[in-house]
Amino acid sequence: MTTKTYKRKSGRKNDELRSPILAKVGIIPNADGSAMFQIGETIAIAGVYGPKKMHPQHSQNPSKGTLRCTYNMNSFSVEDRIRPGPSRRSTEISKITEWALEPVLMIDKFPNMVIDVHINIIQADAGTRCAGINAAAMALAHAGIPMKDMVSSVAVGKMDKTIVLDLDKYEDSEFEDGEGSTDIPVSMTHAGEITHLQLDGKIKPEQLKEAIEMAKKACDEIYEVQKKALKDSLNFGGEK
Ligand code: ADP
């Protein structure tokens, strides 16, 4: 049973996404596909390069292409400067991003090739992996990579006993009352198939179900924003 004792500092309803939610496609002229996604204070940009021949040759896969994601949180993305370069966290999130996106990509059309996706977090206030996945999914579509569906991503969580949507930095890392904070980033296709789910904390199965239902509704909202941004990128100022 969900109790309603937790009151959000931000004043948001428990099932309310942060605002603004902004998306734009085609932001990096040199990339084959690109996009930005902002939710609240978190901003991600993604650039897609390829498909191109995989080098070195021994890394080539003759039966399908390789999706290679590189997640990076910029030094200036948080108040205390982050040490530049890869970390255990960025390596984990890069892998997670590949797993979240690969199920919708028709990657078997690109044997021996690699599709590189570079995700940069230029401002971070929690939920950066989800924002990165949202930006990357749009950038892949913009690059013309054949996809079976779009992927949308959001974090749900549990503050003490209350299920909430789209955790901010305080909720993600600072809230400690009662049972504390449980963070559950989820990515899903528009058809509702989950491609990624992480769970950091404790939650009962029935509350996890409730959280996933909440995430599904939110992913529908995010999908509409992604779709509009992609449509707008095709509309060269004319009627469409
Ligand atoms: P996510 O950003 O996907 O929620 P985490 O839960 O690992 O991933 O991080 C939560 C938030 O903590 C980040 O969005 C960011 O605001 C902050 N954060 C993460 N790593 C660092 C770091 N090395 N230095 C300062 N802040 C960080």
Side-chain angles (χ1 to χ4, degrees):
M1 249 333 257
T2 304
T3 55
K4 300 282 176 228
T5 46
Y6 174 71
K7 273 255 173 293
R8 301 187 97 170
K9 273 192 169 179
S10 57
R12 272 190 292 152
K13 291 189 214 119
N14 291 343
D15 62 351
E16 188 179 340
L17 286 166
R18 284 177 283 180
S19 60
I21 304 178
L22 302 172
K24 191 165 168 56
V25 166
I27 54 159
I28 309 173
N30 281 347
D32 295 304
S34 60
M36 71 77 78
F37 184 86
Q38 171 170 4
I39 186 156
E41 304 275 295
T42 291
I43 308 173
I45 59 175
V48 172
Y49 302 84
K52 61 195 175 198
K53 219 28 132 239
M54 168 72 101
H55 291 293
Q57 206 172 344
H58 65 77
S59 298
Q60 291 179 0
N61 183 342
S63 58
K64 64 173 192 158
T66 304
L67 175 69
R68 189 165 58 190
C69 295
T70 311
Y71 165 102
N72 175 54
M73 211 156 86
N74 287 7
S75 298
F76 51 80
S77 64
V78 289
E79 231 162 83
D80 301 322
R81 179 178 174 277
I82 302 172
R83 191 159 168 235
S87 61
R88 280 177 64 134
R89 177 177 174 274
S90 66
T91 305
E92 177 227 320
I93 298 178
S94 298
K95 246 323 158 236
I96 289 293
T97 304
E98 287 166 10
W99 292 339
L101 294 169
E102 202 176 311
V104 300
L105 293 184
M106 293 158 93
I107 199 108
D108 52 330
K109 295 205 181 300
F110 305 103
N112 301 320
M113 314 277 267
V114 59
I115 301 166
D116 264 312
V117 184
H118 289 274
I119 297 162
N120 269 291
I121 306 302
I122 54 174
Q123 196 168 287
D125 183 54
T128 61
R129 73 195 64 206
C130 299
I133 289 167
N134 290 331
M138 287 188 287
L140 285 161
H142 182 229
I145 310 295
M147 291 162 79
K148 297 174 215 154
D149 204 342
M150 184 39 65
V151 173
S152 310
S153 185
V154 75
V156 264
K158 185 168 73 63
M159 298 295 118
D160 186 16
K161 293 186 169 60
T162 306
I163 302 294
V164 298
L165 180 66
D166 189 20
L167 279 58
D168 58 27
K169 178 72 171 61
Y170 166 76
E171 293 174 332
D172 181 289
S173 344
E174 290 159 45
F175 177 83
E176 283 181 342
D177 296 354
E179 294 176 9
S181 153
T182 298
D183 179 24
I184 314 166
V186 186
S187 306
M188 52 179 89
T189 65
H190 185 52
E193 198 179 317
I194 295 172
T195 62
H196 151 233
L197 188 150
Q198 289 175 279
L199 204 163
D200 184 8
K202 282 187 193 165
I203 192 164
K204 293 198 178 98
E206 59 272 25
Q207 278 202 307
L208 182 60
K209 260 191 186 170
E210 188 187 333
I212 291 172
E213 271 313 305
M214 199 183 263
K216 186 166 172 12
K217 279 195 194 132
C219 282
D220 281 345
E221 277 182 59
I222 291 168
Y223 169 78
E224 291 303 326
V225 176
Q226 291 171 300
K227 189 170 80 176
K228 180 170 184 316
L230 282 160
K231 274 192 176 168
D232 288 350
S233 75
L234 297 173
N235 193 356
F236 301 103
E239 300 259 307
K240 242 202 159 192

